[in-house]
């Protein structure tokens, strides 16, 4: 008997708990010639930026194979499918003229999901900013999300998409992981658009938050009533009790856990962030009124906790963390969490830290905290008989249940990802899917974890 067969059945969740699977446009759609270019197309065209030298030009070819993929979601028994809409597919120039064929694609996708009994959950932005908005000539000097009016263009785009699929898609997400897009894409330059602005990247965070608030208004004006945002979070553990390590961990906690959550939930930035922003961007206080436009729930993408210590001596050089290269001038250093299994990405597997995160959010934000939804959780492992993915998911689902038992209002859980896909700067090296994709033939093959989840969801419905 395989180890997974012997495990205890998962505890029963509330009947209306939402179970889903997630993907994003740039990572799966392909069909690059049938949309406008995004910052990711420009970024991946430069040799050396993606570790295996690939691009997402074809990816999983989901644009042409979406029926097969929706059938896989339906057979899995998931109640919801979280996908992202490609802004440059809908508006190739970022604003203005709509690409009707692109909008038609999402229309067909939503119809197909509804016919399969799966709720469509669109995310409006998952990092693929139209290149036209970023501005080739402005790479270092202020295009894209460094510009305030990108937030206004985003709200116009939100209205266009909601006008077409808002009648059938009920649950919406404005942005995915704006922290990663700010820090990896604009501060460190290891994601698109490849800007290395360090702390001068902060306006990118503010403009994404402003875009979120304006999009919430646009969605509500289009009749959408169920809106959230997906932010990545994880407990931050100081490497020791020394004041230097605690201070460094606090700093990291602000960047990962509070930079976006505080303004969204409390209507204010963490202290030093607010001061830095006021010096570089417009009327922050007025914008915060837009940013705190009420949302119906708050999405958390969770993968791992992080142990953080004081910066290492500069002579130690750059350090590797989660596939990133961290420069020594950062005011913190990431340390190894010892004694835990790691995924193929090297990420430590610590399921109980998800309970810690969720109860910590409840403690930090109290009555101001909207209901929570786990909008992403998953792991990269090779192989079709992926018992380690089953272990990971089993442990994390139990951790969510424990948070429920401790009184945290969690309403849903989405696995990242339905299928293997283009994992950004890693290329196709990290496989996060419940379904294996052969990138030569594009054949889809459900893994052992898919069968496990199908049975788990069946048991939840029983
Ligand atoms: O693949 C990504 C996704 O696009 C955003 N959240 C984390 C995932 C795994 O790295």
């Amino acid at each position: 008997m395989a180890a997974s067969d012997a495990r205890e059945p998962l505890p029963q969740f509330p009947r209306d708990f939402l179970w889903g699977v997630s993907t994003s446009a740039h990572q799966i759609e392909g069909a690059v010639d049938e949309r406008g270019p995004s910052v990711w197309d420009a970024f991946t065209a430069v040799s050396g930026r993606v570790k295996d030298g690939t691009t997402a030009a074809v990816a999983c070819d989901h644009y042409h194979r979406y029926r097969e993929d929706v059938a896989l979601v339906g057979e899995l028994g998931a109640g919801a499918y979280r996908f992202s809409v490609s802004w440059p597919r809908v508006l190739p120039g970022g604003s203005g003229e709509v690409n009707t064929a692109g909008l038609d694609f999402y229309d067909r996708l939503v119809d197909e999901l509804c016919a399969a009994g799966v709720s469509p959950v669109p995310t409006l932005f998952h990092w693929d900013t139209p290149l036209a908005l970023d501005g080739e000539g402005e790479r270092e000097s202020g295009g894209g999300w460094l510009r305030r009016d990108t937030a206004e263009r985003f709200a116009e785009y939100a209205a266009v998409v909601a006008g077409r699929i808002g009648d059938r898609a009920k649950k919406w997400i404005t942005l995915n992981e704006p922290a990663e897009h700010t820090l990896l894409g604009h501060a460190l330059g290891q994601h698109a658009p490849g800007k290395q602005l360090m702390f001068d990247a902060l306006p990118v965070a503010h403009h994404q938050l402003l875009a979120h608030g304006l999009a919430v208004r646009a969605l509500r004006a289009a009749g959408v009533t169920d809106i959230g945002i997906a932010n990545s979070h994880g407990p931050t553990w100081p490497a020791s009790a020394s004041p230097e390590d605690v201070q460094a961990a606090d700093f990291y906690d602000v960047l990962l856990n509070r930079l976006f959550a505080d303004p969204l939930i409390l209507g204010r930035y963490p202290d030093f962030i607010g001061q830095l922003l006021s010096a570089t961007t417009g009327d922050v206080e007025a914008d915060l009124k837009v940013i705190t436009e009420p949302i119906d729930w708050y999405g958390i993408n969770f993968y791992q906790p992080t142990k953080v210590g004081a910066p290492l001596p500069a002579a130690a050089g750059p350090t590797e963390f989660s596939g990133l290269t961290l420069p020594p001038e950062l005011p913190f250093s990431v340390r190894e969490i010892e004694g835990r299994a790691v995924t193929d990405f090297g990420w430590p597997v610590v399921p109980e830290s998800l309970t810690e995160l969720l109860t910590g959010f409840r403690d930090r934000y109290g009555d101001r905290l909207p209901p929570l939804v786990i909008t992403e959780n998953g792991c990269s492992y090779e192989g079709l008989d992926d018992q380690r993915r089953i272990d990971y998911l089993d442990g994390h689902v139990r951790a969510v249940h424990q948070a429920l038992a401790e009184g945290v209002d969690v309403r849903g859980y989405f696995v990242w990802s339905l299928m293997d896909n283009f994992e950004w700067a890693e290329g196709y090296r990290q496989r996060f899917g419940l379904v294996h994709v052969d990138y030569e033939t594009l054949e889809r093959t459900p893994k052992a974890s898919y069968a496990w989840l199908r049975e788990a969801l069946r048991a939840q419905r029983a």
Side-chain angles (χ1 to χ4, degrees):
M1 182 188 275
S4 62
D5 296 331
R7 77 183 74 241
E8 285 285 309
L10 289 174
Q12 210 61 29
F13 280 68
R15 296 269 350 152
D16 57 356
F17 192 84
L18 188 61
W19 298 95
V21 285
S22 303
T23 62
S24 91
H26 190 79
Q27 293 178 273
I28 65 167
E29 281 182 5
V32 66
D33 297 334
E34 296 173 65
R35 60 164 169 75
S38 81
V39 292
W40 269 96
D41 299 315
F43 183 81
T44 55
V46 178
S47 148
R49 281 178 155 172
V50 176
K51 290 181 186 154
D52 63 3
T54 56
T55 74
V58 176
C60 307
D61 196 30
H62 168 78
Y63 188 75
H64 300 116
R65 295 165 195 255
Y66 70 95
R67 288 203 169 85
E68 190 183 342
D69 297 333
V70 170
L72 284 163
V73 183
E75 284 155 24
L76 182 64
Y81 174 61
R82 177 183 166 219
F83 60 99
S84 81
V85 177
S86 158
W87 186 352
R89 195 177 292 291
V90 172
L91 293 161
S95 67
E97 199 176 333
V98 171
N99 170 26
T100 312
L103 211 44
D104 288 349
F105 166 70
Y106 296 107
D107 200 272
R108 291 195 302 275
L109 174 63
V110 164
D111 273 348
E112 194 78 12
L113 287 162
C114 293
V118 178
S119 293
V121 182
T123 299
L124 284 165
F125 180 67
H126 198 123
W127 306 348
D128 46 357
T129 315
L131 189 61
L133 294 184
D134 195 63
E136 293 278 23
E138 296 180 285
R139 191 149 299 277
E140 293 303 329
S141 62
W145 288 106
L146 286 162
R147 289 175 63 103
R148 183 185 179 82
D149 60 9
T150 296
E152 282 146 29
R153 300 294 82 76
F154 182 70
E156 292 162 14
Y157 153 66
V160 169
V161 181
R164 179 61 91 86
I165 60 173
D167 55 338
R168 287 149 292 153
K170 303 297 177 202
K171 200 175 196 71
W172 287 66
I173 296 172
T174 54
L175 310 178
N176 180 75
E177 296 184 3
E180 274 64 16
H181 194 53
T182 305
L183 301 172
L184 310 187
H186 295 79
L188 298 177
Q190 292 171 33
H191 275 191
K195 294 175 181 161
Q196 297 182 324
L197 301 170
M198 297 302 274
F199 288 103
D200 290 341
L202 273 179
V204 170
H206 183 68
H207 295 150
Q208 286 181 93
L209 281 165
L210 184 60
H212 157 83
L214 293 171
V216 171
R217 289 182 177 172
L219 290 173
R220 296 232 189 269
V224 175
T225 57
D226 191 0
I227 307 172
I229 182 169
N231 279 308
S232 62
H233 293 294
T236 305
W237 299 338
S240 79
S242 78
E244 294 78 13
D245 284 344
V246 170
Q247 191 183 10
D250 282 348
F251 184 87
Y252 185 91
D253 188 50
V254 166
L255 288 187
L256 182 67
N257 292 322
R258 296 179 49 204
L259 173 57
F260 290 88
D262 279 16
L264 286 163
I265 299 171
L266 302 177
R268 60 172 186 265
Y269 280 104
D271 281 351
F272 77 92
I273 298 279
Q275 285 154 19
L276 282 173
L277 269 174
S278 306
T280 57
T281 196
D283 186 345
V284 173
E285 287 306 315
D287 290 347
L288 280 165
K289 295 200 169 57
V290 181
I291 291 167
T292 45
E293 197 63 51
I295 49 177
D296 302 288
W297 50 277
Y298 185 95
I300 289 187
N301 294 357
F302 174 79
Y303 290 88
Q304 56 175 319
T306 314
K307 190 195 273 192
V308 176
L312 298 172
T319 49
E320 297 297 317
F321 165 61
S322 283
L324 301 169
T325 304
L326 301 180
E329 56 268 29
L330 288 172
F332 59 83
S333 60
V334 176
R335 309 289 175 82
E336 186 185 343
I337 294 177
E338 286 155 7
R340 306 302 297 230
V342 293
T343 70
D344 284 354
F345 221 144
W347 299 357
V349 180
V350 192
E352 66 276 17
S353 70
L354 176 53
T355 312
E356 178 188 333
L357 177 75
L358 296 171
T359 54
F361 254 70
R362 190 261 325 272
D363 297 345
R364 183 176 275 170
Y365 296 112
D367 293 345
R368 309 279 293 267
L369 185 65
L372 300 176
V373 173
I374 308 301
T375 33
E376 281 182 28
N377 179 234
C379 49
S380 66
Y381 286 119
E382 287 287 333
L384 286 172
D385 185 15
D386 54 344
Q387 296 299 320
R388 290 178 301 170
R389 177 170 288 103
I390 296 173
D391 290 342
Y392 181 101
L393 296 176
D394 180 280
H396 285 78
V397 168
R398 287 176 201 277
V400 175
H401 194 269
Q402 181 59 32
L404 279 170
E406 292 182 33
V408 186
D409 185 2
V410 191
R411 306 270 176 100
Y413 174 90
F414 287 68
V415 175
W416 182 271
S417 176
L418 168 65
M419 56 187 163
D420 295 338
N421 56 52
F422 180 74
E423 177 57 25
W424 309 112
E426 295 289 316
Y428 297 100
R429 300 190 329 173
Q430 304 294 344
R431 291 183 177 269
F432 278 87
L434 297 166
V435 174
H436 178 271
V437 177
D438 179 324
Y439 295 115
E440 296 292 317
T441 63
L442 296 170
E443 187 184 353
R444 278 83 162 133
T445 309
K447 303 180 188 176
S449 57
Y450 176 98
W452 170 83
L453 185 59
R454 188 182 54 207
E455 291 316 306
L457 297 184
R458 192 171 286 158
Q460 290 295 324
R461 289 193 299 273

